[in-house]
Amino acid sequence: MNSGNQHIKSFNADPRAKNRIKFISAKQRAKQASADVYRSYKRRIGVVTSAASREERVHHRDQFNDSAKSRKKRKTITSGGGETTAIIGNNDLFEDEGDEELELETSTTFQMELDLARDRNASNLFAKLYPVLVPLVRSLPEILHHAEKIVNILMCYVLSPYSNPHDATPEEMWKPNSSGNKRDLFVVNIVTTDVLHLISVLARDLRHEIHPYVHEYILPRIVNDLINPPTTVSDPEMKQQRTLDITVVETAFRTLSYIFRYDTSSFLNEGVPNKNDQSKEAVESNVEGCLELMRKYYGSTLAHKSDFVRRLGAESFSPLVRKLKSTASKKKHVRRVIRSLATSATSSVSFVSKPPIDHTKDYYEPSIVMDSRLERTRSDATDGVALLLFYVVRGVPGRLHSKSQGTLKIIFSNILPNDKEDHTIDWNTECFKKKVIYDLISLVLTKIRGHIKNGANFLAVWDELYNCLNSVVRAIKEGETGFLSSLGFLVQLVVECVSYRNGALLKAQDGSTSEFEKAEANRISLVLQDIVDPKFYCRLGGKNQVHVLKLLCVAWKVFPNHPALGHRLSSFIPIIAEGKNTIVDPMLVLAKDLVPFLSEQLAAEYLVPRILKAIAKRFLDKGNDETMLVLHAVATSRLGKRADAEDPIDDNDDLFSAGLAPKCSVSMIEKETLLDACLEVFTPTDAEMDKDIFVRMGYTARIVPFIALLGCNGSVKESFVSVQKISEQIVEALKRLDKARFDSRLDPDVIVVKSLLVESLAFAVSGIVECSNTAAITKIVTQASEYSNKLLFMCPTSLLAVKSAAEMAIVMRKLELDFNSKPNKTFDSLTSNLKASSHFLRLHTLRLLNTFPQRPFVTNFDDLDLSEDLDENDYQQKGMGSNANQEKSSLSGMCDILETMLQIETTPIGLDYERKLIGAINRVEILGRTGKLPALYAEAAVNYMFGVMNIKFQPLWTPAVRSIAALSTAHELTVWPSMAAQLKLVMDPDFFFARTTNIASAFSTEENNIEEGDVYHDHRLLTNWDRTSGEDASLFQKQIDASKTAGRVSRHQSTDRITIFEQVWSVLESVPQLTTKKSRVVVPIFLSFLHNQYFLFHNDDPDAREFNLMSHVDGGTNKDDR
């Protein structure tokens, strides 16, 4: 039976529980299993079992006897010159009330447990065991005399041979031998758990007297035969036999733990005698042991493939390691365990890379090739050793052990170079060993971080980690180059701890600023100050500098408002910028990993001006693509955030950002340098006009508004001049692109670049339109709008084209200009976008349509009452008392249904806004039912309600269906073509595969193989987003991940196609009279569905021949859409 499907019955002692007897899965039972024998077993597993009660009675008597009256009291009685230990028992336990007697302790605990085990286990196998043991255990002297024989008997009965599973194992079969014969296979029998319990009881009675038999008999029998049976037997039934029973394995490890507990002194004193040297000095030197003999069992337990076996093994061995008498012996044991792990891992890999020439000057990780099975084995061994070290330093829940600091010092010291290290060995081997040790220590710290609940309890780890890091820095300053590789590993460990839960281990538990937090912030800033010292930082290699940059970023993100970090860390930026790093650009790391996470005030005051200054200096020396990448990262660093909200309530598709620009103080020379470097891209020669250059145009277009709006010490005039300058250059670039000859004017790359240029101009002008409204800006905007209109009408379904046109139309409305003089044509071109699956395509279409003047409600002059104009008094009375006139007047004037739809689209999706959203949709339904909507608005409304079905929020779908039904009833001639088009769309066989096909085709181009960080990478993501109408949202993957983490519906996601299909048919069901009236359209569509989709997969259906659908579908009966 597979252990994953086992269910174990247990008893719940909680009287409030409904089910006192419950079944738990093997996985849950494995989590509850424990080998910790220093705490109550009942409290550990939370349930009452027979094994738990049996252990409590023997090993935890003070907890077994709850009442003080029921506890046995020992008293020493002097009789005939000798001392005899007597037990004064409670009268409730021995005799009637009022009578007390002294009972001499003549029986042993082992004999009592043996008798109880006979009562519990009535099997034939135990019936054979009992008479063999009873004569040997009647008293403690007899147990001491027959100890070896008792152990041999128990070892025989603890397991049975595979060939005879219902009998004991012959002694010659299980005893270790040196002949090297193949190991025999043993299986668990019906008395295994009782025998294991008796072994632990025997250890309690014998104490250190059991030690001679532990290494020779007990440990090999339990570890090798029970926990690690041989896998050489090829019998198929053996797979079932080799499945480890969780209860048996737990009992075995608890037995070992009790042996270690009662025999601790012998284990700690055992040495490794040298057979060649039997001198007195050699013997005395081995008195203080280091658990060397125990290490041979680590591989079988700590490297086991089952995670619960590794954990139980670590719980069993860790108390012995913790109790080692001296720091030297503990250090020797821990270092040997760690280095053995590294050596074994190294022996199973092959190196495929050669170390660099100056390999001793930097952090280096060799490239390796390893079999997947060996990789799994190495991972299990690393996890097991990490568990051992974790349990050594672990204390009560939420805290570390009081002696953990010394152990942590030993653990961290293993990552440092060894004084006795042989420098002649292969550098690949040495570096890989350090990588294995780093993985081990990182895993130990991961387990400690999960155990610690308060940063103050993590202080011992911080102390030892910083001490080790400071010692490495001092050694490197003294010229020890061997410590450079260790520096990278230590910095990575600090980064992992600092970034854990956004610095939770560096802050007070209640979230308030405490002295502990201030001290830790000051300490980490001092460490960075030592590392980023100009003389020291330049000696670090590229990879070490990358790790230091990560530490700088995470430390500043954790303590953004700490006064020491703002001044100290910002002063490091010039040093970092001047460093020569061939692996990454340090400024790019700061721009991507730090600027977006700081507040606008801190970023604008300390960080961004210094980064811009370094970039300007690079452009003066020699500009390149990497410098443009840094500038692009800074200019777009605040995207995805609104009003500095840490958790934005809704997603966005912002491609431009200038929130930091007005607050950044840069010199005019630096601003002109940056601006001139960007504008060079907009003025290529005719020979340079190819796709490569206009891709750079689109990339640079997202940068220039930020540079133009830079504060320049608060000079608005200079910003206006810069905006005018870039606007003229953008218009010229649009002209050149319009005249250039490409393969097609509808090429996706051309659409993206033109759209970015138009939006860049609109975004830059919007930043100064409130301050300056000159004829020059008006002229430039008017010229740009011509290209925007041309692009819009050429590509009305392009998301970027519609987005840029909406931005341009809003800016022109602020300038009191009209976007175009063709509102009807604009509505006809864009109305179909309102039913798109993309939220942003619907949003920008509504923003654009709302810039046009509102249209009045359609008025029926037959309903007008002109008598009001004849008598003023009568008019006032009628106006005050007639509800009918008030209703009619409510629909007079301008229709604002487009504003209502825009309100729906801009409202965040969530239960908090459900009533607001449904109320706005119901208003569309009410306006549609009146029949007085302008035709363009009615068509737009019905298309938008189909678009609402794409919003992934179920409460909105039913109101949307009602709104479409109301619109189709009152505006049948206007809205039916849109309804018929939507019905044909969802009934098309390609409808359910269109989304997958679009995304797949977007990624099928060779350009998408470009690595992230290249100038073309951003352009590829934009092109894919526009080409798939927002369905490929890889450009905004961070927003999608953040929404998923926060439990919100991302705006980049939409309803599945099957649900859309169902909702469209729900509309037809809600208006049966219209469905009947338009049956000449609906029925052929349905018949086509049966022929092309249903009977295509059910061609054996007898109705397929009877209907003869082919003649109806091909007969052209579906041509009339009226």
Side-chain angles (χ1 to χ4, degrees), residues 956-969:
L956 305 184
W957 300 339
T958 301
V961 171
R962 291 200 307 265
S963 298
I964 297 174
L967 287 164
S968 63
T969 303

Side-chain angles (χ1 to χ4, degrees), residues 185-228:
L185 180 63
F186 304 96
V187 295
V188 175
N189 55 46
I190 199 170
V191 301
T192 297
T193 54
D194 290 307
V195 173
L196 289 172
H197 172 66
L198 291 176
I199 294 174
S200 67
V201 177
L202 182 64
R204 179 185 180 278
D205 285 345
L206 293 180
R207 305 285 171 163
H208 65 279
E209 299 291 345
I210 201 175
H211 190 74
Y213 319 109
V214 173
H215 290 293
E216 187 175 358
Y217 301 140
I218 299 177
L219 278 173
R221 184 67 166 152
I222 294 179
V223 174
N224 298 334
D225 296 341
L226 194 156
I227 300 176
N228 289 278

